[in-house]
Amino acid sequence: MKVASYTRYGGPETIRLSDAPIPLPRAGEVLIRVRAAPVTAGDARLRSGKVPRGLGLLLRLVIGLSRPRVAPGWTFAGEVAGLGDGVTSFAIGQRVFGLMGFKGGAHAEYLVIRADGMVLPMPETLSFEQGAAFFFGGLTAAHFLIDRARLAAGEHLLVVGATGSVGGAALQIGRHLGARVSGSASPGNHPLARSLGADQVTDYRKGPPPGPFDVILDVMGSLGWQAARPLLAPAGRLALVTANLGEMLGSAVRPRREGRMVLTGTNPDTLAAMQRLVALHHAGSYTPILGPVLPFADLAKAHAIADTFHKPGNLVVVM
Ligand SMILES: NC(=O)c1ccc[n+]([C@@H]2O[C@H](COP(=O)([O-])OP(=O)(O)OC[C@H]3O[C@@H](n4cnc5c(N)ncnc54)[C@H](OP(=O)(O)O)[C@@H]3O)[C@@H](O)[C@H]2O)c1
């Protein structure tokens, strides 16, 4: 099978596709024939080592000083191709999707995962490409809007960076929660933002729209506390999906500011959170947006697009 690896921190050319034996599922494991996997902003950051200010050393201490010692690819959609001893919860040929998490390994034609791990049957209403795109932005948006900001019906949400993987999910989940939803995006993406449920769309390069907003989801962290502060309603919450070390420490030490809250952190990937997102899909409230779809052989090209942080929706490679 073909499998991707990182050779060092750097540009898309540091991604290598090589041949490897198809892994064998051990007891309790499932072998998956991967059909599609996203190339996310997270994949691009792990490969390049380019993370928000102050977090670079921490990243290298966790995943490798000289090169990323994790396998590329966090999430996948595919078919069950083999069952380890004792696995009865899945059947050969079944369509599934799931998360490999930090250790990665989804950018490969086959992978093994524990049957009781982060893998679920994939709804018939999703293509493999949509299944691959399902979790990255959706889990993040749901975590920040539902668990952290506790966005409530009737509140006003602003999503800054509204049409990428996280923002596109946030618009839909905001609507599902009964919020009034505004978004900011570059002008070419305004029709997409409207189609995802934004009532009002503005160009973030021309400044933020007038508030007040109960919740601001600042996807790229480009607004920040100083600019967001005058736009927040009393008791408003600013969720910085992308935050630097100073902002993370600041929000930990002083989350509450003049009655308003600053929220940072990372999205904990859990089976329960995955199941909640699947339930949102079944309720008709969330389907990931698909942007470019490329063959697996073009993985480096896909990384170059992900590096821009301007892709519409989710970028997927198909195996
Ligand atoms: N905290 C966590 O757990 C967590 C989890 C997932 C992702 N993230 C982070 O979240 C960020 C976004 O991820 P993503 O997957 O949504 O990326 P993406 O799909 O590349 O989308 C990026 C979005 O940001 C917009 N944007 C780019 N530059 C901007 C700026 N200067 N001001 C405002 N908006 C801007 C883009 O809009 P246009 O295309 O319209 O220009 C696009 O909508 C990344 O930094 C990623 O590392 C954090």
Side-chain angles (χ1 to χ4, degrees), residues 106-312:
H107 290 166
E109 288 175 329
Y110 289 85
L111 59 82
V112 287
I113 188 166
R114 285 205 56 81
D116 59 0
M118 313 280 267
V119 55
L120 290 171
M122 195 168 78
E124 287 301 322
T125 40
L126 293 173
S127 65
F128 283 124
E129 290 85 350
Q130 288 171 314
F134 197 79
F135 288 116
F136 182 78
L139 287 178
T140 306
H143 172 68
F144 276 98
L145 293 182
I146 302 173
D147 305 329
R148 304 293 310 283
R150 299 187 188 282
L151 179 66
E155 288 194 316
H156 196 180
L157 166 69
L158 171 66
V159 179
V160 182
T163 56
S165 180
V166 176
L171 292 180
Q172 297 179 64
I173 293 169
R175 282 300 279 232
H176 167 80
L177 295 171
R180 271 189 304 138
V181 178
S182 295
S184 65
S186 49
N189 287 328
H190 287 194
L192 177 58
R194 284 198 191 87
S195 75
L196 292 169
D199 303 312
Q200 183 198 5
V201 192
T202 54
D203 181 356
Y204 60 76
R205 289 172 296 196
K206 293 193 173 151
F213 299 100
D214 299 289
V215 173
I216 299 177
L217 190 81
D218 188 356
V219 171
M220 291 302 294
S222 54
L223 200 56
W225 166 249
Q226 291 305 333
R229 157 77 187 80
L231 307 176
L232 282 171
R237 288 84 78 201
L238 169 67
L240 293 172
V241 178
T242 304
N244 61 39
L245 181 62
E247 289 165 335
M248 284 188 165
L249 293 174
S251 74
V253 173
R254 200 166 66 92
R256 193 168 288 282
R257 300 172 194 182
E258 305 150 35
R260 295 156 178 87
M261 292 282 287
V262 180
L263 309 166
T264 63
T266 53
N267 165 40
D269 298 330
T270 64
L271 199 57
M274 291 165 69
Q275 286 161 335
R276 174 173 71 183
L277 201 62
V278 172
L280 279 180
H281 174 70
H282 286 309
S285 301
Y286 170 65
T287 297
I289 326 158
L290 268 187
V293 176
L294 300 177
F296 188 34
D298 285 347
L299 187 62
K301 194 168 155 192
H303 267 262
I305 298 171
D307 270 351
T308 65
F309 297 106
H310 288 293
K311 63 182 163 54

